[in-house]
């Protein structure tokens, strides 16, 4: 893994789960991690309920746009985290792959999306502790 690891979050539409995870990773890890997100079948816009749920947590993802998953994005990443995209993600040797089983927030109410958001936050916090812990003085 590089000094600044790159994490790619992938879900089908790149409109909910992967955008929320990317938002948390950017907010919590800052410049210690490079963050990418993409979808195997991206939507035209971010799920407005996901935007609202993240805004409640103080994170603005409203300006983001869904992006299509590319082989280059996977190749450039140290960690690839999939969220229900099945076999759409190419596999490269030497990468760390995780599959986070998360409910799809598409079409769900705010209460459901809040639960998904909170689950994502705890997973992102654990990921940061593993790949980009805060340096302590020696």
């Amino acid at each position: 893994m590089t000094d600044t690891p790159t994490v790619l979050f992938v879900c089908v539409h790149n409109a909910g789960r992967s955008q929320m995870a990317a938002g948390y990773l950017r907010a919590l890890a800052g410049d210690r991690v490079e963050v990418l997100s993409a979808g195997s079948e991206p939507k035209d816009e971010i799920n407005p309920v996901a935007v609202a749920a993240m805004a409640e947590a103080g994170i603005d993802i409203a300006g983001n746009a869904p992006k299509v998953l590319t082989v280059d994005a996977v190749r450039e990443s140290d960690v690839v985290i999939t969220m229900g995209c099945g076999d759409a993600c190419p596999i490269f040797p030497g990468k760390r792959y995780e599959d986070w089983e998360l409910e799809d927030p598409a079409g769900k109410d705010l209460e459901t999306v809040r639960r998904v958001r909170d689950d994502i936050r705890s997973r992102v916090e654990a990921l940061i502790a593993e790949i980009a812990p805060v340096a302590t003085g020696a």
Side-chain angles (χ1 to χ4, degrees):
M1 200 165 306
T2 58
D3 288 343
T4 304
T6 299
V7 177
L8 170 63
F9 294 103
V10 183
C11 66
V12 176
H13 299 130
N14 192 222
R17 294 167 289 188
S18 56
Q19 292 285 349
M20 290 190 288
Y24 268 127
L25 187 55
R26 281 186 192 100
L28 299 174
D31 60 3
R32 292 180 289 146
V33 177
E34 185 176 337
V35 183
L36 304 172
S37 71
S40 53
E41 298 174 23
K43 290 284 189 188
D44 293 331
E45 63 183 12
I46 304 294
N47 178 340
V49 183
V51 171
M54 290 301 286
E56 289 178 351
I59 298 172
D60 182 6
I61 62 169
N64 296 357
K67 296 170 203 64
V68 69
L69 175 64
T70 65
V71 170
D72 286 343
V74 177
R75 186 179 290 121
E76 294 167 12
S77 300
D78 298 297
V79 180
V80 179
I81 297 178
T82 58
M83 304 169 179
C85 67
D87 296 330
C89 193
I91 305 293
F92 288 96
K95 307 284 181 200
R96 173 177 169 174
Y97 291 89
E98 290 185 26
D99 185 49
W100 291 358
E101 291 188 28
L102 297 162
E103 184 175 357
D104 187 348
K108 302 291 188 337
D109 62 14
L110 184 57
E111 191 61 37
T112 301
V113 176
R114 284 179 182 137
R115 283 194 306 273
V116 174
R117 174 201 66 199
D118 295 345
D119 187 3
I120 289 170
R121 180 182 178 122
S122 65
R123 291 170 188 248
V124 166
E125 288 171 340
L127 179 66
I128 292 168
E130 290 177 28
I131 67 166
V134 175
T136 56

